[in-house]
Amino acid sequence: MHLLVAARTDVGRIRSGNEDAFLVVDDATLVAVADGMGGHQGGEVASATAIEVLRDGVGRGDTIADAITAANDAVYEKAAQDIGLRGMGTTLTAGRLDGSTLVIGHVGDSRAYLLRGGDLRQVTADHSVIAELIAAGALTEDEALVDPRRSMITRALGIDDSVDFDVLTVDLDPGDRLLLCSDGLTTMIRDDAIREILTTHADRDDAADALVAAANDAGGADNITVVVADVAADDAPADEVADDAQAEVDEAGPGEAGPDSDDDPTDPEIEGLAEAAASLGAETAPKRRWWRRRS
Ligand code: MG
């Protein structure tokens, strides 16, 4: 089994900087989305650092769990060493292909979805205030779309010296379509709209573009990142995978994140945009984060 991937990241219509990052390694056996938070440059540094360390760790043969632990350490230590980065953190949702199984590591409110037979299923559980409220029956999904707490997360990578993350597996079938995305998509459009786009755009590049466009049409209040991965049997042309991932690099414009084919770990994976907007109105407030106190 292999993955054929199209990935996009977009600043949205409100923010001046993009704190999201994504990863598609050359053979598309590892894909990830990270959504950074933290003042000034912190968010960009956190998401880019997590992606780099994840890529390097898995590239060395580490398990996804070990690589996420290492990513947490790296972000946490970087924040401790630089007062300008203090308090930064990031979500991370990563999928590593192992035969016909996708091993997913996940912390925060970025998401992995599986589209199979026209049905869309959210594979990951959000570590968010809203998810807890919905689970408790205190909020409907429609209410969640406009709730001011919709960007508050309860867990993130890099804010503490250890991180509590989920590892889950999905058995893949040819024809499945995976979506990894940041909350800039899912706070803007509903799951049924995502499903509609994924099912009506057979071309994954068109699907990725349409998802970003839909989030922007709905307001684009946050950075939007989508990784659309089609699951193919190994008799499909394998080199198409690398070509497809590379195409995203070639197409990446200024400030857009893209996979880096250079193995130099000191070379930043992701180019950051300008620093975050200084002040935004209540309707367009930057992502607010809320942390559950740890005992
Ligand atoms: Mg976000």
Side-chain angles (χ1 to χ4, degrees), residues 225-260:
T225 300
V226 301
V227 176
V228 177
D230 286 324
V231 179
D234 279 335
D235 52 9
D239 58 350
E240 191 182 336
V241 178
D243 289 348
D244 203 60
Q246 188 60 43
E248 302 309 323
V249 180
D250 298 340
E251 290 169 8
E256 285 190 303
D260 189 352

Side-chain angles (χ1 to χ4, degrees), residues 35 183-184 222 287:
D35 177 354
D183 73 329
D222 194 6
K287 165 162 284 191

Side-chain angles (χ1 to χ4, degrees), residues 15 20 35-36 109-110 151 182-184 222-224 287 289:
R15 305 291 187 88
D20 285 0
D35 177 354
D109 66 351
S110 299
S151 290
S182 64
D183 73 329
D222 194 6
N223 308 143
I224 307 147
K287 165 162 284 191
R289 300 294 196 177

Side-chain angles (χ1 to χ4, degrees), residues 4-252:
L4 301 163
V5 183
R8 301 286 187 274
T9 190
D10 188 273
V11 70
R13 297 177 60 188
I14 304 296
R15 305 291 187 88
S16 65
N18 191 344
E19 300 184 357
D20 285 0
F22 69 79
L23 173 68
V24 182
V25 300
D26 287 345
D27 63 359
T29 54
L30 178 66
V31 293
V33 167
D35 177 354
M37 48 78 60
H40 304 289
Q41 291 191 311
E44 293 172 18
V45 173
S47 59
T49 300
I51 289 286
E52 286 170 35
V53 175
L54 172 79
R55 177 199 63 184
D56 294 345
V58 171
R60 281 193 305 267
D62 291 353
T63 65
I64 205 153
D66 285 346
I68 289 175
T69 299
N72 186 77
D73 292 348
V75 175
Y76 183 70
E77 286 167 16
K78 209 173 254 193
Q81 289 163 6
D82 184 340
I83 196 163
L85 301 176
R86 200 140 301 171
M88 71 176 177
T90 184
T91 73
L92 183 64
T93 300
R96 185 177 65 80
L97 187 64
D98 181 8
S100 62
T101 300
L102 190 75
V103 182
I104 297 172
H106 166 70
V107 58
D109 66 351
S110 299
R111 292 181 179 176
Y113 288 91
L114 174 67
L115 180 75
R116 175 177 290 169
D119 293 325
L120 185 70
R121 176 168 71 92
Q122 184 181 336
V123 175
T124 50
D126 295 347
H127 304 137
S128 70
V129 172
I130 290 293
E132 293 183 0
L133 291 170
I134 290 174
L139 207 64
T140 67
E141 298 201 9
D142 280 344
E143 288 168 343
L145 273 180
V146 294
D147 192 287
R149 297 164 292 189
R150 65 187 178 277
S151 290
M152 298 181 185
I153 60 175
T154 53
R155 294 192 222 168
L157 187 148
I159 57 152
D160 208 343
D161 59 5
S162 67
V163 63
D164 187 14
F165 55 88
D166 299 335
V167 176
L168 45 148
T169 59
V170 178
D171 291 325
L172 299 174
D173 292 332
D176 286 348
R177 176 170 270 184
L178 296 158
L179 170 67
L180 270 56
C181 61
S182 64
D183 73 329
L185 179 73
T186 55
T187 57
M188 289 291 111
I189 64 172
R190 292 164 49 105
D191 280 9
D192 55 4
I194 294 173
R195 190 194 69 81
E196 176 77 10
I197 289 168
L198 289 175
T199 52
T200 55
H201 294 76
D203 183 291
R204 58 192 159 274
D205 286 288
D206 292 346
D209 287 336
L211 289 168
V212 170
N216 276 323
D217 288 347
D222 194 6
N223 308 143
I224 307 147
T225 300
V226 301
V227 176
V228 177
D230 286 324
V231 179
D234 279 335
D235 52 9
D239 58 350
E240 191 182 336
V241 178
D243 289 348
D244 203 60
Q246 188 60 43
E248 302 309 323
V249 180
D250 298 340
E251 290 169 8

